[in-house]
């Protein structure tokens, strides 16, 4: 090896030139920035070498070669006795340079590794995001999540965290958008989908965006999740019968998925809040119906309109036949009706139209005293009603014995028999008093016509309880009797006088 300074041949194993004293450089020069960083780092680690700090020795090592040469020559002259084949100072400088080079490489590699870890580690970005979120610096937390997304975008944890951080920042729409993008990407487990919908519904509910909740749930294909939030939805009303033609009366039920109001029309017009409100099943008789219904839930969400049509083709039953005409009557008369083969006859006596809820005709009806207005109708098993047959009667008796006098006669007879303790109806062992009310006039075969009275017990509050006792008072003479029935249902009388 030749000396790079004077060109003189240097024997193997020598670290300096014997002729000019220059040392041999075994490592490459360092970059200034790296070298300065290394010097600062090493200056706190190493102790001084031969009375000087490591930094001073490094600086000394960096002096120009000419200056170093002169210095070495002066030192050699001053220390000739200490000089050896392998001088002490050049060896130390070489060891120092080697140490610096090694440490520089290690530090550089470490710094590069740390830098690369911080820049390209997904785990590190998530960790920093959580740290900033814990200190409530959600803006920085979101920034680190975005770095993590750039490294691995398809990780659902990023979306859940970012949505949560946006929520805490008050940017709720961004929080929802992040979750919506997560849904759109798909491939989520049920628990994750459930969490996404729960978060979105909560945010929309806080913002009172109920239309958005309804739209979100309508797009959800998971019935389990949808059923959890039924109250927010406005589904189309459901009909109890499918559209079609029917040969019977339809009792049509409309139903909704949750609490709210159903509005409907029967002519196919678009229903609104001014339309008829569904409160009970619709009774569809003969005719054609085009039913349109809409549901509005308690949050004001309006469903789509549901439509069905129905054609009801029914045969109307024959009306009842009455063998008695309207008019004035002066003797007790029974009202008889011929019932058609198909159907049941119902009637009223106050002038109102009869329905299936009215009194059912089972046999002749005693004509009541005074003015009465009877109406009769036949209703088939399919629920179809016939025409209504009406009769008006004005029944008066040619007698001085009125129903009121008949009651007085019964009370007096029971008092005389000591059944009653006074004429007000009190009796021993009875809480309250007895009262008697006129019911009707009947003809008892072979005996004549009688006022029929019912017996009641009335308490102090005026509440009445009917007893089993009946009384019959002859309409012309006023004679009071107990009315009884034998085992065959035949009426009999027990005189009270």
């Amino acid at each position: 090896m030749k000396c790079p300074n004077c060109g003189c041949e240097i024997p193997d194993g020598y670290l300096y030139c014997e002729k000019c004293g220059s040392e041999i450089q075994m490592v490459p020069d360092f970059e200034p920035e790296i070298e300065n960083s290394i010097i600062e780092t090493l200056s706190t680690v190493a102790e001084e070498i031969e009375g000087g700090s490591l930094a001073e020795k490094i600086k000394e090592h960096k002096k120009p070669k000419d200056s170093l040469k002169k210095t070495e020559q002066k030192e050699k002259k001053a220390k000739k006795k200490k000089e050896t084949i392998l001088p002490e100072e050049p060896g130390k400088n070489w060891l120092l340079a080697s140490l610096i080079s090694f440490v520089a490489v290690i530090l550089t590699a470490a710094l590069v590794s740390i830098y690369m870890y911080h820049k390209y580690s997904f785990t590190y970005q998530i960790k920093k995001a959580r740290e900033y979120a814990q200190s409530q610096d959600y803006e920085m937390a979101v920034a680190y999540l975005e770095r993590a997304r750039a490294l691995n975008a398809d990780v659902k944890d990023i979306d859940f965290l970012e949505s949560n951080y946006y929520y805490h920042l008050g940017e709720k729409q961004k929080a929802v958008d992040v979750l919506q993008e997560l849904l759109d990407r798909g491939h989520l487990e049920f628990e994750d989908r459930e969490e996404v919908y729960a978060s979105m519904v909560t945010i929309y509910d806080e913002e009172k965006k109920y239309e958005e909740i309804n739209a979100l749930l309508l797009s959800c294909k998971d019935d389990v999740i949808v059923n959890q939030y039924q109250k927010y939805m406005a589904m189309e009303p459901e009909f109890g019968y499918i559209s079609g033609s029917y040969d019977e009366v339809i009792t049509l039920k409309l139903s909704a998925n949750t609490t709210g109001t159903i509005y409907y029309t029967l002519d196919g017009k678009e229903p609104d809040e001014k339309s008829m409100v569904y409160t009970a099943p619709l009774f569809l008789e003969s005719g054609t119906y085009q039913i349109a219904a809409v549901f509005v839930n308690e949050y004001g969400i309006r469903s789509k309109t549901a439509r069905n049509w129905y054609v009801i083709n029914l045969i109307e039953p024959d009306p009842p036949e009455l063998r008695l005409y309207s008019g004035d009557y002066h003797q007790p008369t029974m009202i008889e009706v011929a019932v058609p083969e198909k159907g049941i006859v119902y009637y009223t006596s106050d002038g109102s139209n009869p329905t299936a809820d009215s009194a059912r005709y089972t046999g002749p009806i005693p004509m009541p005293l005074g003015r009465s207005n009877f109406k009769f109708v036949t209703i088939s098993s399919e629920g179809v009603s016939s025409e209504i047959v009406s009769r008006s009667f004005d029944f008066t008796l040619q007698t001085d014995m009125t129903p009121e006098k008949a009651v007085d006669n019964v009370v007096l007879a029971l008092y005389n028999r000591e059944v009653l303790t006074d004429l007000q109806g009190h009796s021993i062992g009875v809480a309250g008093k007895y009262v008697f009310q006129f019911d009707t006039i009947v003809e008892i075969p072979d005996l004549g016509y009688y006022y029929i009275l019912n017996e009641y017990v009335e308490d102090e509050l005026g509440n009445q309880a009917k007893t089993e006792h009946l009384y019959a008072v002859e309409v012309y003479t006023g004679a009071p009797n107990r009315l009884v029935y034998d085992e065959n249902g035949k009426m009999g009388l027990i005189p009270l006088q």
Side-chain angles (χ1 to χ4, degrees):
M1 179 183 295
K2 291 184 179 182
C3 176
N5 186 43
C6 63
C8 181
E9 190 71 27
I10 301 175
D12 293 339
Y14 281 74
L15 300 178
Y16 73 97
C17 178
E18 290 184 325
K19 183 176 181 180
C20 66
S22 297
E23 68 175 334
I24 304 304
Q25 185 173 354
M26 302 300 292
V27 294
D29 293 333
F30 302 111
E31 292 293 334
E33 294 181 359
I34 296 176
E35 187 175 356
N36 291 335
S37 176
I38 293 172
I39 291 172
E40 292 176 3
T41 303
L42 293 177
S43 63
T44 62
V45 179
E47 295 294 330
E48 293 183 352
I49 300 177
E50 290 190 352
S53 68
L54 178 58
E56 292 172 347
K57 292 297 181 180
I58 293 173
K59 290 179 181 179
E60 182 179 347
H61 175 68
K62 290 180 62 179
K63 290 181 180 180
K65 291 183 178 180
D66 292 340
S67 176
L68 180 60
K69 180 179 178 182
K70 292 179 181 180
T71 302
E72 289 177 352
Q73 288 176 348
K74 290 180 182 180
E75 290 177 352
K76 283 168 54 179
K77 291 180 181 180
K79 301 178 181 180
K80 287 182 180 180
K81 294 183 180 181
K82 296 181 180 180
E83 224 176 26
T84 62
I85 297 177
L86 187 61
E88 183 179 354
E89 189 63 30
K92 290 180 179 180
N93 289 338
W94 174 79
L95 289 174
L96 179 62
S98 299
L99 176 61
I100 293 172
S101 299
F102 176 76
V103 173
V105 171
I106 297 300
L107 287 177
T108 300
L111 291 174
V112 170
S113 298
I114 294 173
Y115 172 75
M116 295 298 288
Y117 172 75
H118 288 183
K119 185 174 183 180
Y120 297 105
S121 171
F122 174 83
T123 304
Y124 177 77
Q125 311 305 325
I126 296 295
K127 176 185 176 183
K128 293 298 292 183
R130 292 181 184 277
E131 290 177 355
Y132 278 109
Q134 191 172 9
S135 61
Q136 298 185 356
D137 188 348
Y138 296 106
E139 291 185 358
M140 285 299 298
V142 169
Y144 271 98
L145 287 181
E146 289 300 324
R147 295 180 188 176
R149 190 187 299 279
L151 296 173
N152 191 349
D154 194 21
V155 176
K156 64 179 183 297
D157 290 345
I158 297 177
D159 299 284
F160 283 121
L161 289 174
E162 189 169 24
S163 175
N164 184 40
Y165 298 162
Y166 276 133
Y167 178 85
H168 283 89
L169 285 170
E171 300 184 39
K172 295 183 179 180
Q173 187 56 53
K174 284 188 176 181
V176 168
D177 292 341
V178 170
L179 294 174
Q180 184 62 60
E181 291 175 3
L182 179 58
L183 279 180
D184 294 341
R185 289 202 301 272
H187 309 298
L188 291 175
E189 297 294 332
F190 173 78
E191 292 76 10
D192 294 327
R193 292 198 306 275
E194 191 175 33
E195 182 177 350
V196 169
Y197 280 101
S199 299
M200 295 179 72
V201 169
T202 298
I203 293 173
Y204 280 141
D205 183 72
E206 291 177 356
E207 297 295 299
K208 301 188 183 307
K209 295 182 177 180
Y210 303 118
E211 291 283 0
E212 284 80 354
I213 297 178
N214 184 57
L216 174 68
L217 296 175
L218 288 175
S219 65
C220 179
K221 298 180 180 180
D222 196 318
D223 292 339
V224 175
I225 293 176
V226 171
N227 290 335
Q228 295 179 28
Y229 305 102
Q230 280 285 323
K231 68 176 184 177
Y232 293 103
M233 300 185 69
M235 306 291 288
E236 293 181 21
E238 295 185 357
F239 293 84
Y241 287 83
I242 63 173
S243 295
S245 297
Y246 295 85
D247 295 328
E248 60 181 350
V249 171
I250 288 180
T251 304
L252 181 63
K253 293 182 179 180
L254 305 181
S255 59
N257 64 294
T258 186
T259 305
T261 305
I262 296 176
Y263 301 92
Y264 71 95
T265 60
L266 299 176
D267 56 4
K269 292 182 179 179
E270 184 67 24
D272 55 27
E273 283 75 0
K274 295 180 181 179
S275 302
M276 292 180 287
V277 176
Y278 176 82
T279 57
L282 307 180
F283 192 69
L284 305 185
E285 297 183 289
S286 294
T288 300
Y289 303 86
Q290 295 182 5
I291 300 179
V294 67
F295 172 64
V296 180
N297 70 10
E298 61 182 328
Y299 296 98
I301 307 302
R302 190 180 192 274
S303 74
K304 293 181 180 179
T305 301
R307 297 179 182 276
N308 268 13
W309 60 269
Y310 302 94
V311 177
I312 312 299
N313 298 309
L314 299 175
I315 299 176
E316 187 176 293
D318 295 330
E321 291 185 11
L322 268 74
R323 299 168 183 173
L324 201 63
Y325 294 98
S326 298
D328 296 336
Y329 291 82
H330 301 289
Q331 290 187 355
T333 306
M334 303 299 288
I335 305 171
E336 297 185 44
V337 176
V339 179
E341 293 183 1
K342 295 182 179 180
I344 299 174
V345 174
Y346 297 89
Y347 72 94
T348 60
S349 59
D350 59 0
S352 62
N353 290 332
T355 66
D357 295 326
S358 302
R360 180 176 177 176
Y361 177 82
T362 57
I365 305 168
M367 183 182 294
L369 281 172
R371 183 77 177 177
S372 60
N373 296 295
F374 279 84
K375 288 187 177 182
F376 299 85
V377 68
T378 303
I379 299 179
S380 69
S381 58
E382 294 82 15
V384 182
S385 298
S386 69
E387 293 182 4
I388 295 176
V389 178
S390 300
R391 293 288 189 273
S392 295
F393 307 107
D394 194 354
F395 174 35
T396 59
L397 279 175
Q398 301 298 323
T399 178
D400 294 332
M401 182 57 58
T402 64
E404 292 76 18
K405 289 182 178 180
V407 170
D408 292 340
N409 287 354
V410 169
V411 171
L412 181 60
L414 293 175
Y415 174 72
N416 291 334
R417 284 175 169 265
E418 298 184 352
V419 174
L420 301 178
T421 59
D422 57 31
L423 296 179
Q424 284 71 45
H426 293 96
S427 179
I428 298 174
V430 176
K433 63 180 181 178
Y434 287 105
V435 293
F436 306 89
Q437 294 180 4
F438 167 75
D439 181 33
T440 186
I441 297 177
V442 298
E443 181 182 7
I444 300 177
D446 301 326
L447 295 176
Y449 296 102
Y450 290 82
Y451 292 119
I452 305 301
L453 308 181
N454 294 315
E455 181 184 77
Y456 298 84
V457 175
E458 183 178 281
D459 63 19
E460 294 179 355
L461 298 177
N463 300 314
Q464 294 183 345
K466 188 176 181 181
T467 71
E468 297 180 353
H469 294 165
L470 294 173
Y471 298 88
V473 178
E474 210 279 332
V475 298
Y476 297 107
T477 64
N481 303 273
R482 280 283 304 277
L483 178 64
V484 294
Y485 291 86
D486 63 18
E487 58 184 9
N488 296 319
K490 184 179 180 180
M491 290 186 291
L493 299 176
I494 301 175
L496 296 179
Q497 291 180 338

